[in-house]
Amino acid sequence: QVQLVESGGGLVQPGGSLRLSCAASGIFRSIGAMGWYRQAPGKQRELVASITGGGSTNYADSVKGRFNIFRDNAKNTVYLQMNSLKPEDTAVYYCYANGVTWSGTRTYWGQGTQVTVSS
């Protein structure tokens, strides 16, 4: 089993920055791709950014140039550095990780962390 614990959300003014982190723990063989989704009120959950175990990244068009995803494989932790935040970035952010255990591979989810961008 893999547990994901997120931290770093909060209230920030437009143009500000936040860094989210998500640490994987538990019993597993390895962690593959990790990333972040977000869901705003009344909207579908959308992929924000992802990163493979080898470091290849993918971003939603809406965050390119403003957000940066990176990971520390030694700590099984993924980070999302969010800069130049806009009110439309307000959402609950969920991290995920593809965990490889002795019973197979599946996607695990964090509990979600609220990000609010408002003046």
Side-chain angles (χ1 to χ4, degrees):
Q1 287 288 348
V2 178
Q3 293 82 43
L4 299 178
V5 177
E6 304 171 9
S7 61
L11 172 65
V12 64
Q13 292 186 341
S17 298
L18 280 176
R19 177 179 291 187
L20 306 181
S21 64
C22 174
S25 63
I27 300 174
F28 50 86
R29 297 178 66 182
S30 64
I31 297 292
M34 304 180 80
W36 297 87
Y37 277 75
R38 68 185 179 186
Q39 188 166 20
K43 295 187 177 181
Q44 289 188 329
R45 189 176 293 194
E46 63 172 351
L47 177 66
V48 177
S50 63
I51 184 167
T52 67
S56 296
T57 59
N58 181 52
Y59 295 92
D61 287 343
S62 60
V63 307
K64 284 180 180 177
R66 300 189 297 122
F67 291 11
N68 182 41
I69 188 170
F70 57 101
R71 63 191 287 170
D72 183 337
N73 288 334
K75 297 181 179 179
N76 294 310
T77 299
V78 64
Y79 304 90
L80 185 68
Q81 178 66 41
M82 304 185 293
N83 300 323
S84 302
L85 282 161
K86 304 175 180 180
E88 50 264 43
D89 294 317
T90 295
V92 178
Y93 284 69
Y94 299 90
C95 76
Y96 76 90
N98 291 335
V100 182
T101 67
W102 280 265
S103 59
T105 301
R106 57 160 284 193
T107 300
Y108 297 86
W109 293 91
Q111 77 282 5
T113 186
Q114 177 70 46
V115 171
T116 302
V117 185
S118 175
S119 55

